[in-house]
Amino acid sequence: ALREAGHSVLVLWGSGEPVPEEIVGRLNGATVWTVPGLANYAAFRSFLVNETFSTARQLWRTFWLLRPLKGAGRALWQCSAWWFHDLLQLKCWERLLATTLANHHFKGVAVVSETAPSAEALCRVALRSGWPIHHFWHGLAGFTYSTRCIANHLHFFSQADRDFFIRHGWPPERAHATGHPRQSQLTAEIHRLRMKPSTQGGLR
């Protein structure tokens, strides 16, 4: 739809797997960039060196500020290895995407993953650049922190999902029931099976 409206589309494919055959045809006319994993990216070492000390300093400062709170500093210390890893990975992805997209200007970005560091990093870059963020939601209804908490617009499979978020305070103009690309095929197949005469056997 974006291409038909005359927009140029850049697809950042960051799953680490090849683009599935079922959607290759949908990407005709779009520029597809397969995002390399950080470990395979040539500049990863420089990112690691630049961000390791700042990440460690940030965690140490947090630990020092929480020290007076009973149990808080100990809890932070116990989880510090995991948080250090996650924060460092997020910052490296953010630097990679900011460097790669430095010469681009987007009318909007769309993300699907809710927890991938690369998706959150893209959202953070978009926030700094003033690009609207669209999150295509594909999980169960809930409010666990993820990229959808950063997004300007949420796109749901169904009206029931949209109603859930509106009931919990999400602005209606920012919540959209847009379905899913596979739904039309699934609905057509269900309709075909329901119309199948019972005398032919099989599922009805």
Side-chain angles (χ1 to χ4, degrees):
L2 288 171
R3 296 195 307 273
E4 291 174 358
H7 299 291
S8 59
V9 179
L10 172 64
V11 178
L12 303 179
W13 190 262
S15 69
E17 302 291 334
V19 180
E21 291 294 332
E22 63 185 31
I23 67 170
V24 167
R26 295 178 177 270
L27 299 179
N28 288 337
T31 301
V32 181
W33 179 49
T34 302
V35 183
L38 287 178
N40 299 322
Y41 189 64
F44 175 65
R45 290 184 179 179
S46 64
F47 288 170
L48 189 62
V49 171
N50 290 330
E51 298 296 352
T52 296
F53 290 107
S54 64
T55 302
R57 185 170 58 249
Q58 185 174 349
L59 281 176
W60 175 253
R61 186 173 179 222
T62 304
F63 171 77
W64 184 260
L65 292 174
L66 290 177
R67 191 170 49 87
L69 299 178
K70 184 178 181 180
R74 180 179 177 83
L76 177 62
W77 181 257
Q78 290 175 342
C79 299
S80 59
W82 292 106
W83 286 350
F84 178 84
H85 171 269
D86 293 344
L87 183 58
L88 179 61
Q89 191 176 30
L90 173 63
K91 294 179 75 173
C92 286
W93 270 115
E94 190 174 350
R95 184 184 287 266
L96 167 61
L97 293 175
T99 302
T100 304
L101 304 177
N103 297 323
H104 290 76
H105 178 76
F106 297 101
K107 294 182 178 179
V109 300
V111 295
V112 177
S113 175
E114 298 182 357
T115 56
S118 54
E120 185 173 350
L122 178 60
C123 290
R124 291 162 66 97
V125 172
L127 279 175
R128 290 201 304 269
S129 303
W131 305 331
I133 303 168
H134 297 260
H135 176 85
F136 285 80
W137 179 78
H138 65 284
L140 298 175
F143 298 101
T144 303
Y145 178 79
S146 65
T147 54
R148 60 185 145 170
C149 299
I150 309 175
N152 306 106
H153 296 271
L154 291 182
H155 299 262
F156 304 101
F157 285 0
S158 68
Q159 185 63 38
D161 297 331
R162 178 175 183 266
D163 292 342
F164 174 86
F165 276 81
I166 291 175
R167 284 199 307 271
H168 289 85
W170 196 271
E173 65 275 9
R174 294 171 53 196
H176 316 277
T178 53
H180 186 278
R182 290 192 182 98
Q183 279 187 327
S184 58
Q185 300 173 359
L186 180 61
T187 303
E189 181 64 13
I190 292 173
H191 180 73
R192 185 187 69 79
L193 292 172
R194 284 179 174 170
M195 295 297 101
K196 190 176 182 179
S198 59
T199 55
Q200 295 183 13
L203 176 66
R204 291 190 71 242

